[in-house]
Amino acid sequence: MIARWLGPLALGLFAALLGWHVTLANYPQALMRLAIARVGQGGVNRMTHAPLVTARARAIVRPSPDLLYSSCPYDLARGPVLIEVPAIPAPYWSLSVFDARTDAAFVRNDRAAPMGVRVALLGAGQVAPPGYAPVRPHGTRGIALLRVLIDRTGDFSAADAARRRARCRAAG
């Protein structure tokens, strides 16, 4: 009697494990596609500077009201993408580049780069122009995210103005 159920039980267990593995393998790419669609309404390979976070802001899951956000959904299919972030007069800022698998491919902050950051996001066979640090994210699409910590009790207009000078563009 038990032997009769071993085959179907083993097949069911195999199907469940296969489904679990396929889901885990594909979930990060699906999540990144959704994130790009949400923050990419300004287009790809260009920096979009979000307004100050309010209770209604939800483009980024649970955004911090103490941060200013700028984002650049990128696509390396047609060539390198250049990102330039000037020094920002704020208590803290960081640039993070997330690849197609949602992995952090690059992270710099004001402590590591007090004069700002210039990076070239590169695909296979692409070369960084002079003056740009090469970054090779997995896949051709992802998001670069600039976060700037502000003091809401003071004037943060200089930090906002510097953040708005950050650029993301296709090379060429």
Side-chain angles (χ1 to χ4, degrees), residues 8-126:
L9 184 61
L11 183 60
L13 182 60
F14 175 75
L17 288 173
L18 180 64
W20 175 69
H21 181 70
V22 167
T23 300
L24 285 180
N26 291 309
Y27 187 73
Q29 288 89 346
L31 188 63
M32 184 53 73
R33 282 192 298 273
L34 177 64
I36 289 171
R38 281 191 158 184
V39 300
Q41 296 181 6
V44 296
N45 299 339
R46 64 181 298 242
M47 192 71 75
T48 301
H49 307 286
L52 191 60
V53 171
T54 66
R56 293 190 178 128
R58 289 292 178 255
I60 298 171
V61 178
R62 293 182 180 237
S64 170
D66 297 324
L67 294 175
L68 295 172
Y69 293 95
S70 297
S71 60
C72 173
Y74 65 84
D75 187 350
L76 304 175
R78 289 188 221 115
V81 172
L82 307 178
I83 299 175
E84 301 169 8
V85 177
I88 299 174
Y92 176 82
W93 63 264
S94 70
L95 173 68
S96 302
V97 176
F98 299 97
D99 66 18
R101 298 181 298 195
T102 69
D103 292 334
F106 176 86
V107 178
R108 287 293 182 281
N109 61 29
D110 62 315
R111 301 332 185 249
M115 301 308 292
V117 176
R118 292 169 50 115
V119 297
L121 306 181
L122 307 170
Q126 297 173 350

